[in-house]
């Protein structure tokens, strides 16, 4: 019997653990597209100042300077249609959105968040987890990289 290579695909359940059935914790969003048409990877956390209008753009967290209580945070769940592991957001335009973020009442796995933001933030990654937790987005610890 021949061996077959299996390519594992990223799935919504790789990111979201607990999520309310009513989907009120999802929000349509406008994410500022990355430079040079780069994709937004699964596990990207975005932020914007609290209290802005719904169509105000979000930006990806790239430095610890964004980790302040005056900002609100969301975990990118997909493009404007639904779950998408890695996608290039369309340009921001009036009366349409380019992404979906989870910003409250959910549990997410740390694995992909750590892949995207772990090296960027270093020790401040724990601050990001705390700020998400204050919005009722619980980040569950990843144990896949523990050494005994």
């Amino acid at each position: 019997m021949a061996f077959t290579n299996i390519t594992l695909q990223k799935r919504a359940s790789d990111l979201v653990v607990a999520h309310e059935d009513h989907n009120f914790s999802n929000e349509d969003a406008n994410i500022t597209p990355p430079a040079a048409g780069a994709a937004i990877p699964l596990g990207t956390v975005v932020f914007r100042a609290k209290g802005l209008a719904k169509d105000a753009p979000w930006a990806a967290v790239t430095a610890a300077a964004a980790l302040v209580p005056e900002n609100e945070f969301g975990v990118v769940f997909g493009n404007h249609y639904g779950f998408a592991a890695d996608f290039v957001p369309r340009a921001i335009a009036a009366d349409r959105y380019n992404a979906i973020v989870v910003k409250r009442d959910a549990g997410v796995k740390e694995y992909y968040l750590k892949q995207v933001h772990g090296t960027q933030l270093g020790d401040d990654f724990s601050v990001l987890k705390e700020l998400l937790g204050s919005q009722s987005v619980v980040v569950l610890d990843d144990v896949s990289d523990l050494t005994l």
Side-chain angles (χ1 to χ4, degrees):
M1 174 182 276
F3 289 101
T4 304
N5 287 332
I6 298 174
T7 303
L8 298 178
Q9 297 179 352
K10 297 175 183 176
R11 302 188 187 281
S13 61
D14 293 337
L15 178 65
V16 179
V17 176
H19 191 265
E20 297 296 324
D21 293 333
H22 50 63
N23 286 335
F24 291 135
S25 55
N26 288 351
E27 183 172 297
D28 294 327
N30 277 321
I31 297 175
T32 305
I40 292 184
L42 182 65
T44 299
V45 177
V46 292
F47 75 99
R48 67 180 179 185
K50 287 182 180 175
L52 295 178
K54 180 179 168 130
D55 59 351
W58 297 75
V61 172
T62 56
L67 304 179
V68 294
E70 292 79 20
N71 288 337
E72 65 178 331
F73 298 88
V75 179
V76 177
F77 183 75
N79 61 20
H80 51 286
Y81 294 118
F83 172 75
D86 302 319
F87 69 97
V88 177
R90 64 185 183 189
I92 295 175
D95 299 325
R96 68 180 199 174
Y97 298 99
N98 65 6
I100 298 171
V101 298
V102 176
K103 58 180 249 180
R104 65 182 175 280
D105 301 329
V108 295
K109 297 178 186 176
E110 179 186 59
Y111 180 76
Y112 285 112
L113 273 68
K114 194 184 281 185
Q115 280 191 339
V116 175
H117 300 288
T119 5
Q120 287 176 344
L121 300 176
D123 292 338
D124 289 320
F125 185 75
S126 61
V127 175
L128 175 64
K129 288 174 60 174
E130 184 178 318
L131 288 167
L132 283 167
S134 70
Q135 291 182 197
S136 299
V137 176
V138 179
V139 181
L140 303 173
D141 291 335
D142 174 38
V143 294
S144 64
D145 60 353
L146 289 181
T147 54
L148 300 176

